[in-house]
Amino acid sequence: MGDIKKVVLAYSGGLDTSIIIPWLKENYDNCEVVAVSGDVGQGTELEGLEEKAIKTGASKLYIEDLNKEFVEDYIFPTLKAGAVYEGDYLLGTSFARPIIAKRIVEIAIAEGADAICHGCTGKGNDQVRFELTIKAFAPDMKIIAPWRIWDIKSRDEEIDYAEAHNIPLKINRETNYSKDKNLWHLSHEGLDLENPANEPQYNKPGFLEMSVSPEMAPDKATYVKLSFEKGVPVAIDGKKMGAVEMVKYLNKVGGENGIGLADLVENRLVGMKSRGVYETPGGTILYRAHQVLETITLDRDTQHYKELISVKYAELVYNGQWFTPLRESLDAFVNKTQETVTGEVTLKLYKGNMINAGVTSPLSLYDEEVATFDEDQVYDQKDSAGFINLFGLPIKVMAKKWKKD
């Protein structure tokens, strides 16, 4: 291992990466460790991180502000695609990994590093997301993944290691959920959640961080109006906002009303099923509003075909294939569909529910005179008879043939 002189570490300051710094120095001949934290909205989790990284053996810590790029170049394209993994997961961790890994590669190259290290386990999806991005931008870079080679077998043993090396932790053995937080969401895994029979402890103090349980939400509904231009959210309640400001505002409003809690068992890329609880208050509001607006601004065939595309798009993002020609090609299709997705959507938020409360668009395809049950001058109901005869002709021919035989 003497050929490894400098390692750039994807550093969050959580349990895994906190112990990896001393572990790297112990196992790679006291190599230099440069820590990198990508700020994608972790908030207070970044406080005191530099001091901690240096104390545990890092030579320096980069904290890179990626929030604006994260929302505009990763979240919004996924939102426009309507991409949801397995019907519930809004991909909060999935699209945060490529942007972080890309910046880590850039720093590793600038630092002249011999390797990049991450703290992802061999059971998870993040190892794939990090490493596919590294391969896309530094195909010859060596990758160190301690969870695949060290003797530590559990999070309890990680805590033992941290205590033996006097590494401060913000968790204990009783609150040792595996969490991932960013501007878009917060995920919870492990402990009692590993058994799908257990109800999440939404009302337990400290469990939820971005939301309240629906039972604790206000008894009065909150209305929110979202404005979109070509599929991109641009204003809330008539007030223009930047991308980051908008997500933060909707997180607050949605969280207060118990919006965006998801409890699901998902199929990981590595083959196993995993149970997780997600808080995505603002993102859930944006997805619903965008979907509602598309119902009046997309023609039928485009809307239906886009639903097929959204499933594939979600799989690509979930599987870490962000920097691929297929994902970029799907973006081209999606962006074409969004040329007419301009308008306003009002949602009524009430105790975990989102209720449609009106949608308008200058490009709406909804024609009230065509759709009305009252008398109109634009639709001849007699035309439907011929349409049905031709549409049903294959069924009629088969029925007569089968009856004859």
Side-chain angles (χ1 to χ4, degrees), residues 220-237:
K220 182 180 179 181
T222 298
Y223 286 86
V224 59
K225 180 187 289 186
L226 295 99
S227 302
F228 291 82
E229 292 179 6
K230 295 186 176 181
V232 176
V234 294
I236 299 175
D237 296 328

Side-chain angles (χ1 to χ4, degrees), residues 270-323:
V270 293
M272 70 185 70
K273 291 183 181 290
S274 173
R275 196 273 188 96
V277 169
Y278 298 95
E279 300 177 58
T280 321
T284 302
I285 293 171
L286 284 170
Y287 262 77
R288 170 61 72 84
H290 183 264
Q291 180 187 40
V292 170
L293 184 56
E294 285 191 329
T295 64
I296 66 168
T297 55
L298 296 185
D299 66 277
R300 181 188 63 192
D301 288 349
T302 300
Q303 183 178 345
H304 289 180
Y305 196 79
K306 185 171 178 286
E307 290 174 0
L308 302 177
I309 293 298
S310 68
V311 173
K312 185 60 181 178
Y313 199 106
E315 289 179 350
L316 291 172
V317 177
Y318 187 86
N319 293 342
Q321 296 170 291
W322 185 270
F323 297 108

